[in-house]
């Protein structure tokens, strides 16, 4: 199986290189309005943002920043197929402007923007960021009533483009082979994720930590899970705020194609320097999933439960009928092509070779 991954250095308020109805899933994390690290970026996109911040008008700045994101959401409605899913990772911002502290509810504003564009909201996920607990309450003291709760969660807002779900031909292999294990389903479809850090590998190189901080990269598990949950093999995943390319890496590992837009060329260059690591990463992720499944099977049996079915492609049992056809993918080879990469995928074998 072959997938194509295109990455453009450019402004995603105009996605004209992406055809109408050509993307099955969006997974992205925009710059969060009213988080200081993104002030300059938003002010470059619209000078009114800088003016509002300077004059101390937080509400106007918040709205002007979201107006820039709205232009990207307009494009998503066009490029996403009917029934396609958009997963938007966003956190709220707390900030003092002119000595007045408040929360700027980015998730609520993004939700409103999608609904007004004809997307239907689906149940969302909260994921809990591990934070440095020693420092987190500093300054809030222990006197009522003027301390504030520390925000330690972000949202993955989930929307469907239009009213109807996508349909597939009966018994479509690319859907059935992309099934996930029952115990993965139980973890992934829980609405609070507390286990997303460091579970799976990502691209690592000298300076990668600094680069990931500068782009506020999300952990690999976030896009990887969402891609496995909401798309089938061979689908195309769009990330209009590509950053260090975590979504594309996850799409490659998960046997999906991708397309990304990013303003900063340096991020694309860094991704390209590590591209040879992707086959090894994809294989270790597939192997880790199989291994975790086998441990689950052992524990499940040790508790006295019976597994009714055998997997077709792996020497293991599974809980449900639908899991029998699971066939994980690994990246066999990657070739650089115009605007991106062509990736050859093979089914992940069962052995240790
Ligand atoms: C929160 S970061 C995304 C991080 C990414 N998920 C990762 O794992 O590295 C947002 C990214 O969007 C980019 N960006 C912001 N506005 C953009 C725009 N209008 N067009 C394209 N890229 C944009 C920023 O440069 C930044 O890298």
């Amino acid at each position: 199986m072959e997938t194509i991954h295109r990455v453009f250095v450019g402004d995603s308020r105009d996605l004209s290189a992406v055809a109408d109805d050509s993307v099955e899933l969006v997974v992205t994390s925009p710059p969060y309005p009213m988080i200081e690290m993104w002030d300059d970026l938003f002010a470059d996109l619209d000078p009114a943002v800088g003016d509002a911040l300077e004059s101390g008008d937080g509400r106007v700045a918040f709205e002007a920043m979201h107006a820039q994101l709205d232009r990207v959401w307009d494009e998503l409605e066009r490029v996403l197929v009917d029934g396609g899913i958009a997963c938007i990772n966003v956190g709220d911002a707390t900030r003092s402007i002119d000595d007045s502290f408040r929360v700027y509810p980015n998730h609520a504003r993004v939700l409103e923007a999608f609904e007004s564009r004809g997307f239907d909201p689906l149940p969302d996920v909260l994921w809990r960021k591990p934070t440095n607990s020693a420092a987190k309450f500093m300054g809030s003291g222990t006197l009522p009533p003027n301390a504030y709760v520390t925000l330690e969660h972000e949202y993955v807002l989930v929307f469907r483009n239009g009213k109807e779900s996508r349909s597939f031909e009966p018994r479509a292999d690319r859907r059935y082979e992309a099934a996930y294990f029952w115990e993965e389903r139980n973890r992934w479809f829980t609405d609070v994720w507390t286990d997303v850090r460091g579970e799976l590998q990502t691209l690592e190189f000298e300076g990668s930590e600094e680069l990931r901080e500068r782009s506020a990269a999300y952990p690999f598990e976030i896009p990887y899970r969402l891609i496995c949950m909401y798309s089938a093999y061979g689908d195309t995943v769009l990330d209009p705020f590509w950053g260090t390319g975590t979504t594309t890496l996850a799409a490659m590992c998960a046997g999906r194609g991708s397309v990304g837009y990013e303003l900063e060329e340096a991020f694309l260059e860094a991704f390209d320097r590590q591209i040879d690591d992707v086959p090894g990463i994809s294989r270790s992720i597939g192997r880790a999933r199989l291994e975790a499944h086998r441990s689950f099977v052992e524990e499940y049996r040790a508790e006295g439960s019976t597994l009714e079915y055998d997997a077709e492609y792996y020497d293991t049992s599974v809980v449900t009928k639908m899991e029998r056809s699971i066939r994980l993918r690994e990246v066999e080879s990657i070739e650089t092509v115009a605007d991106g990469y062509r990736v050859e995928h093979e089914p992940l074998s069962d052995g240790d070779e």
Side-chain angles (χ1 to χ4, degrees), residues 110-342:
V110 171
L111 198 136
E112 205 179 281
F114 272 78
E115 248 198 302
S116 68
R117 283 164 179 75
F119 287 83
D120 272 356
L122 301 176
D124 54 36
V125 173
L126 292 187
W127 71 273
R128 194 132 199 257
K129 297 177 293 179
T131 51
N132 177 356
S133 57
K136 75 182 181 188
F137 299 118
M138 265 169 57
S140 70
T142 55
L143 291 180
N146 294 334
Y148 306 112
V149 164
T150 308
L151 292 185
E152 289 180 285
H153 65 276
E154 296 195 0
Y155 295 79
V156 178
L157 301 175
V158 183
F159 303 98
R160 185 185 54 233
N161 195 15
K163 301 247 160 285
E164 308 219 345
S165 307
R166 281 173 69 194
S167 53
F168 288 83
E169 60 282 17
R171 297 291 317 164
D173 280 349
R174 67 187 203 90
R175 185 180 187 207
Y176 276 76
E177 291 186 4
Y180 27 81
F181 292 112
W182 179 81
E183 68 282 4
E184 288 178 330
R185 194 279 311 266
N186 294 347
R187 270 193 307 134
W188 295 353
F189 285 85
T190 295
D191 65 346
V192 183
W193 291 353
T194 51
D195 59 343
V196 280
R197 177 173 272 196
E199 196 183 315
L200 300 169
Q201 271 179 284
T202 185
L203 288 182
E204 273 166 31
F205 50 94
E206 211 187 310
S208 62
E209 201 43 47
E210 186 264 325
L211 206 66
R212 289 182 67 74
E213 261 172 42
R214 188 150 65 86
S215 86
Y218 45 30
F220 176 87
E221 289 94 321
I222 299 260
Y224 184 76
R225 277 185 196 188
L226 295 168
I227 289 169
C228 293
M229 291 162 72
Y230 294 116
S231 66
Y233 286 141
D235 279 351
T236 298
V237 185
L238 165 67
D239 187 345
F241 300 104
W242 194 78
T244 56
T246 319
T247 306
T248 284
L249 177 65
M252 288 176 171
C253 292
R256 277 74 165 175
S258 71
V259 51
Y261 268 70
E262 171 54 49
L263 290 172
E264 273 207 55
E265 192 164 7
F267 291 146
L268 280 72
E269 288 161 3
F271 186 89
D272 194 61
R273 282 199 294 278
Q274 301 306 310
I275 199 71
D276 292 342
D277 294 349
V278 176
I281 292 175
S282 76
R283 169 178 274 225
S284 67
I285 283 162
R287 292 243 175 277
R289 283 181 66 187
L290 266 185
E291 226 170 87
H293 175 68
R294 290 192 166 116
S295 305
F296 157 78
V297 168
E298 243 174 65
E299 282 168 32
Y300 198 70
R301 288 202 170 116
E303 285 165 7
S305 305
T306 311
L307 289 95
E308 300 270 335
Y309 303 98
D310 287 327
E312 280 172 43
Y313 300 106
Y314 301 108
D315 184 16
T316 186
S317 299
V318 289
V319 178
T320 63
K321 224 176 182 176
M322 270 179 272
E323 292 164 81
R324 287 176 312 172
S325 332
I326 290 181
R327 205 174 195 191
L328 304 177
R329 296 286 191 267
E330 65 177 280
V331 171
E332 179 64 18
S333 60
I334 302 195
E335 187 194 340
T336 302
V337 293
D339 296 327
Y341 308 94
R342 186 198 318 273

